[in-house]
Amino acid sequence: MLNCNLQLIQGCLDDYMSKMGKVEINEIEANNELARVGLLEDDQRRPGRPLREYLISLRDTNLLPQNIKQLQGLWKIKHSKTVMKVLQILQF
């Protein structure tokens, strides 16, 4: 389904969020950025669909990273470093 690995995707999205000053994006914005850099083609008729399908496959195999959540059918992708910061703060 997808020829690149999750770390590459996550790194690309983290860089994008850092440049844009965001800590969270949705799957449509994420897929748009992945298409822009050539990692994952987007579906013009249903924006974000390829990434949604990939995230569903990760969820179904219990491989979804902690910084990616699906709430009421909507996907939220947080910067991976913010999740680590929160975990470090909660340890104290």
Side-chain angles (χ1 to χ4, degrees), residues 12-13 16-17 20-36 42 47-49 51-52 75-77:
C12 174
L13 295 178
Y16 171 76
M17 285 186 263
M20 301 305 287
K22 296 181 176 188
V23 293
E24 181 179 281
I25 58 176
N26 64 27
E27 77 277 10
I28 295 172
E29 186 174 0
N31 206 148
N32 185 46
E33 177 59 15
L34 294 171
R36 188 187 71 77
D42 203 355
R49 183 179 183 188
L51 183 58
R52 278 192 297 276
W75 289 94
K76 298 294 180 188
I77 302 165

Side-chain angles (χ1 to χ4, degrees), residues 9-65:
I9 289 173
Q10 190 66 63
C12 174
L13 295 178
D14 283 349
D15 290 346
Y16 171 76
M17 285 186 263
S18 293
K19 280 190 272 184
M20 301 305 287
K22 296 181 176 188
V23 293
E24 181 179 281
I25 58 176
N26 64 27
E27 77 277 10
I28 295 172
E29 186 174 0
N31 206 148
N32 185 46
E33 177 59 15
L34 294 171
R36 188 187 71 77
V37 298
L39 287 178
L40 178 63
E41 283 297 315
D42 203 355
D43 185 338
Q44 297 305 314
R45 291 180 33 210
R46 297 183 71 189
R49 183 179 183 188
L51 183 58
R52 278 192 297 276
E53 290 175 353
Y54 178 61
L55 296 176
I56 288 168
S57 73
L58 290 175
R59 181 198 64 199
D60 292 349
T61 57
N62 207 24
L63 296 173
L64 195 64

